[in-house]
């Protein structure tokens, strides 16, 4: 474990990107804001709170998942991973550093949804703390999924397509911006494979927007562990 | 830029093979390297990068072993990964990071504290005449400058063993000299690959020629060229020679006979490592 590396990498990579690459920030904001807008129009504002909560979840999940493209690009094209193989850092350090970087990419979006939440008077101290805990678990588990995907990609030409497909599937279909109660139970269980689902269900429960479903806490925690273990197993550190 | 161990490392390679699916990239390499600067030469696809990546623990061999200073590259990676610096052929800096950030980050990953990482980075960038570009995001650098970032990185760490895969490809003449001088400044052993014969000749104590996954020749430049002692190369575009390469007829004749050939319209050339490729039949037309 090399905490200095993790801090330096996430600072330089995460925060420098925010500073030097505005378009990236705007692109990552577009999807949740567009959905928010559509939900507002279609429901005449009725389920706007769901879409605001969903905004937090989509920001974290889609940034982490689309990072699969980045990680594969760095390995296959820039050869940055090869460079880091010959250092004292572990695959875990590298994954963690990238994970925190992707959280940094999500910050501007999170700030916008936080302002909306304040305007809509959604927050209490307790539910804010719970939301933060949920988002951290979501960040770790969806980053782990993105490492699993990126480690399976063999050619740079497939990188962006695959990660965009996965990111859309795993963040847009789960009940991120509509009440999870709209879903039949069986669909909910299948969608729970994506950590965005338990995260959204828990958040809706804690914010009093839907009945609490505490079993989803177990699901989310299990996904954090399971996806991390799989990612650690699959990550290609030395190429074979 | 003082650092760690001075002197030469010993690399022993035994029966090393690498297959990529059906492609046999290395077909059994046996080699002991102990020169301070070793140059690996060979045509595109000869297997140079594959060999470099296996030695620097980035790639698993299919068969065989290699050890560096007694450390097995397959099982004993801990010491190797802390020690060696290996610059990949296609390495390119992350576009949003500046050369300064990129190198400093690498040194931190190597286990240095932030302050000495920062000092060494600045010094190395200065040596490579890159101080002006130090704080430019990498996607604003030219192709050659991007390559130099990685040479500066190797220089900043100054390892006991440095691998550089084609460090001078695409560099202007002055930058190439800067890279040569940086390589000479490194305290430990350096293994480079190159397509420039004069580079191998001027820089390396030891030259390894690889072709189709096998070692064709290995030795000091002097030893390798000794078979040409007393000879000169004569060539002609209009006549066939002992070797015919790309429309050029090439022969090797005693220095005494050179004048006669020159009168017949041949051109004379000094012997270089390139001639090793020619007499080994690597370039021959079928
Ligand atoms: N990842 C890979 N998958 C499949 N084949 C590969 C891969 N990497 C290399 N090869 C093949 O292995 C052989 C050796 O390639 P290598 O990159 O080691 O050559 P090289 O000597 O470094 O060439 P160059 O001078 O062009 O850099 C080539 O035939 C190449 O096509
Ligand atoms: Mg190569």
């Amino acid at each position: 474990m090399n905490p200095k590396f993790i801090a330096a990498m996430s600072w330089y990579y995460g925060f420098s990107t925010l500073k030097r690459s505005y378009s990236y920030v705007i692109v990552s904001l577009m999807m949740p804001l567009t959905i928010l807008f559509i939900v507002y129009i279609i429901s005449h504002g009725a389920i706007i709170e769901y879409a605001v909560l969903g905004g937090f979840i989509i920001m974290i999940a889609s940034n982490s998942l689309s990072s699969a493209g980045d990680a594969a690009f760095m390995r296959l094209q820039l050869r940055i991973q090869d460079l880091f193989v010959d250092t004292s850092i572990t695959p875990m350090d590298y994954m963690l550093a990238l994970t925190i970087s992707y959280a940094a990419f999500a910050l501007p979006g999170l700030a916008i949804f936080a302002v909306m939440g304040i305007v809509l008077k959604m927050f209490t101290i307790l539910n804010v703390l719970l939301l933060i805990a949920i988002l951290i678990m979501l960040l770790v588990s969806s980053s782990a999924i993105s490492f699993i995907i990126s480690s399976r990609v063999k050619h740079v030409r497939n990188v962006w397509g695959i990660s965009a497909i996965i990111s859309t599937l795993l963040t847009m279909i789960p009940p991120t911006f509509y009440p999870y109660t709209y879903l039949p139970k069986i669909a909910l269980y299948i969608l729970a494979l994506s950590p965005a689902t338990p995260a959204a269900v828990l958040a809706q429960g804690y914010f009093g927007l839907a009945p609490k479903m505490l079993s989803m806490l177990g699901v989310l925690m299990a996904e954090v562990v399971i996806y991390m273990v799989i990612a650690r197993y699959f990550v290609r550190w030395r190429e074979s | 830029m003082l650092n760690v161990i001075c002197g030469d490392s010993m690399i022993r390679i035994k029966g090393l093979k690498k297959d990529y699916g059906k492609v046999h990239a290395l077909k059994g390499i046996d080699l002991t390297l102990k020169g301070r600067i070793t140059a690996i030469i060979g045509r595109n696809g000869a297997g140079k990068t594959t060999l470099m990546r296996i030695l620097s623990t980035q790639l698993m061999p299919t068969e065989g072993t290699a050890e560096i200073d007694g450390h097995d590259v397959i099982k004993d990676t801990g010491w190797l990964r802390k020690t060696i610096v290996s610059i990949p052929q296609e390495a390119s800096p992350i576009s949003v990071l500046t050369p300064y950030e990129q190198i400093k980050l690498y040194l931190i990953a190597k286990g240095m504290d932030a302050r000495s990482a920062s000092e060494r980075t600045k010094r190395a960038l200065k040596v490579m005449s890159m101080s002006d570009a130090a704080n430019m995001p990498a996607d604003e650098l030219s192709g050659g400058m991007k390559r130099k970032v990685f040479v500066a990185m190797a220089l900043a760490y100054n390892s006991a063993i440095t691998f550089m895969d084609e460090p001078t490809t695409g560099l202007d003449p002055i930058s190439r000299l800067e890279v040569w001088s940086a390589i000479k400044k490194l305290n430990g052993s350096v293994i480079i690959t190159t397509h420039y014969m004069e580079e191998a000749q001027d820089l390396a104590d030891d030259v390894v020629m690889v072709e189709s996954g096998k070692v064709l020749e290995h030795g000091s430049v002097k030893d390798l060229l000794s078979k040409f002692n007393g000879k000169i190369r004569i060539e002609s575009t209009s006549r066939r020679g002992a070797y015919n390469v790309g429309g050029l007829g090439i022969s090797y004749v005693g220095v005494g006979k050179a004048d006669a050939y020159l009168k017949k319209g041949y051109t004379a050339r000094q012997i270089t490592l390139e001639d090793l490729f020619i007499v080994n039949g690597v370039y021959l037309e079928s």
Side-chain angles (χ1 to χ4, degrees):
Chain A
M1 184 83 168
N2 184 337
K4 258 185 280 175
F5 167 78
I6 297 172
M9 174 91 180
S10 35
W11 178 256
Y12 286 147
Y13 187 48
F15 292 93
S16 299
T17 303
L18 283 188
K19 215 164 52 188
R20 295 182 188 136
S21 174
Y22 309 99
S23 64
Y24 196 103
V25 176
I26 294 168
V27 162
S28 72
L29 277 173
M30 274 167 69
M31 190 156 73
L33 286 180
T34 309
I35 291 167
L36 189 76
F37 177 70
I38 294 171
V39 165
Y40 183 80
I41 300 289
I42 292 178
S43 77
H44 302 289
I47 60 170
I48 186 76
E49 275 114 341
Y50 293 89
V52 171
L53 258 193
F56 287 102
I57 288 164
I58 294 176
M59 281 311 295
I60 292 281
S62 69
N63 264 303
S64 317
L65 290 168
S66 48
S67 72
D70 261 40
F73 187 72
M74 284 209 252
R75 174 168 59 85
L76 297 167
Q77 186 83 34
L78 303 183
R79 295 279 166 193
I80 292 297
Q81 189 177 315
D82 270 357
L83 199 68
F84 282 127
V85 166
D86 286 308
T87 63
S88 58
I89 65 165
T90 62
M92 226 40 187
D93 291 330
Y94 184 73
M95 287 196 282
L96 220 63
L98 289 179
T99 301
I100 298 173
S101 305
Y102 302 130
F105 299 161
L107 282 179
L110 296 181
I112 291 182
F113 289 108
V115 170
M116 291 183 187
I118 292 167
V119 171
L120 293 171
K121 300 197 170 69
M122 288 168 64
F123 296 128
T124 64
I125 291 176
L126 181 67
N127 69 18
V128 165
L129 290 178
L130 288 167
L131 181 63
I132 291 173
I134 291 169
L135 291 180
I136 290 174
M137 286 193 277
L138 178 64
L139 173 70
V140 175
S141 50
S142 38
S143 296
I145 293 176
S146 93
F147 282 107
I148 297 170
I149 298 161
S150 91
S151 72
R152 302 330 290 163
V153 179
K154 283 212 178 75
H155 302 288
V156 180
R157 59 180 181 273
N158 299 330
V159 159
W160 309 109
I162 292 175
S163 71
I165 292 169
I166 300 276
S167 167
T168 309
L169 279 181
L170 294 190
T171 60
M172 304 307 294
I173 301 173
T176 39
F177 55 89
Y178 58 89
Y180 78 85
T181 46
Y182 284 14
L183 284 172
K185 269 269 148 54
I186 178 76
L188 187 64
Y189 292 144
I190 294 171
L191 285 175
L193 282 172
S194 163
T197 303
V201 172
L202 285 171
Q204 291 177 6
Y206 290 135
F207 277 73
L209 300 177
K212 283 203 179 77
M213 188 172 169
L214 286 178
S215 58
M216 284 293 174
L217 185 60
V219 172
L220 186 56
M221 285 168 149
E223 284 181 353
V224 168
V225 176
I226 291 168
Y227 288 135
M228 282 223 319
V229 170
I230 300 177
R232 177 64 194 84
Y233 177 79
F234 272 130
V235 74
R236 296 183 180 190
W237 202 230
R238 165 155 46 181
E239 205 180 297
S240 56
Chain B
M1 230 156 270
L2 44 140
N3 199 14
V4 274
I5 318 151
C6 278
D8 305 347
S9 296
M10 167 93 93
I11 300 178
R12 278 179 216 277
I13 304 167
K14 278 196 202 124
L16 206 62
K17 292 188 184 169
K18 177 68 193 181
D19 299 336
Y20 298 103
K22 287 189 193 119
V23 179
H24 306 295
L26 298 181
K27 298 174 185 161
I29 303 261
D30 294 286
L31 205 55
T32 301
L33 301 176
K34 41 189 164 188
R36 199 182 91 69
I37 301 180
T38 303
I40 302 178
I41 57 177
R43 301 189 71 183
N44 293 133
K48 303 178 298 296
T49 297
T50 304
L51 180 60
M52 296 280 269
R53 292 189 68 213
I54 292 174
L55 292 179
S56 39
T57 78
Q58 295 167 359
L59 179 69
M60 269 295 193
T62 311
E63 235 182 278
T65 57
E67 47 182 57
I68 301 178
D69 286 343
H71 300 271
D72 185 330
V73 300
I74 298 168
K75 288 171 246 151
D76 191 6
T77 53
W79 180 86
L80 287 170
R81 287 181 175 165
K82 270 188 205 108
T83 309
I84 65 180
V85 168
S86 179
I87 306 300
Q89 175 176 0
E90 283 143 6
S92 183
I94 300 174
S95 62
V96 291
L97 298 197
T98 65
Y100 170 81
E101 292 167 346
Q102 191 94 31
I103 298 173
K104 186 176 167 188
L105 188 60
Y106 181 75
L107 296 181
I108 290 172
K110 276 289 200 189
M112 274 186 198
D113 63 79
R115 183 180 298 178
S116 38
S118 169
E119 271 169 25
R120 275 165 178 259
T121 302
K122 283 183 197 148
R123 242 183 309 165
L125 285 167
K126 200 166 163 202
V127 172
M128 295 305 297
S129 315
M130 288 195 67
S131 299
D132 289 343
N135 296 313
M136 274 157 71
D139 54 5
E140 292 172 26
L141 302 177
S142 74
M145 284 156 91
K146 286 182 190 162
R147 284 307 290 160
K148 281 167 71 180
V149 171
F150 292 97
V151 177
M153 191 179 271
L155 189 62
Y157 189 65
N158 203 352
S159 161
I161 307 144
T162 307
F163 293 90
M164 291 183 177
D165 199 351
E166 296 193 26
T168 58
T169 299
L171 296 191
D172 68 59
I174 305 295
S175 299
R176 181 174 308 164
L177 289 179
E178 282 166 354
V179 171
W180 289 14
S181 123
I183 289 173
K184 286 180 188 154
K185 280 198 184 94
L186 292 169
N187 287 329
S189 300
V190 185
I191 294 100
I192 62 165
T193 66
T194 180
H195 288 294
Y196 304 105
M197 295 303 122
E198 76 278 14
E199 180 165 298
Q201 233 160 310
D202 292 0
L203 214 54
D205 319 297
D206 221 14
V207 173
V208 178
M209 195 175 127
V210 183
E211 174 57 24
S212 305
K214 286 193 186 131
V215 175
L216 275 192
E217 304 258 7
H218 173 214
S220 67
V221 176
K222 212 172 133 218
D223 289 345
L224 292 181
L225 295 185
S226 64
K227 63 177 77 156
F228 297 102
N229 279 351
K231 291 196 176 155
I232 192 158
R233 164 173 164 176
I234 50 134
E235 59 187 41
S236 162
T237 48
S238 54
R239 277 177 258 226
R240 299 200 47 93
Y243 304 94
N244 297 289
V245 179
L248 208 59
I250 297 171
S251 302
Y252 300 92
V253 299
V255 178
K257 293 186 192 154
D259 270 348
Y261 279 99
L262 288 177
K263 285 202 188 98
K264 280 193 243 168
Y266 282 88
T267 316
R269 287 208 191 279
Q270 278 213 307
I271 301 290
T272 67
L273 284 170
E274 186 187 272
D275 296 292
L276 268 187
F277 284 90
I278 293 169
V279 298
N280 272 301
V282 174
Y283 292 156
L284 282 196
E285 290 160 8
S286 49

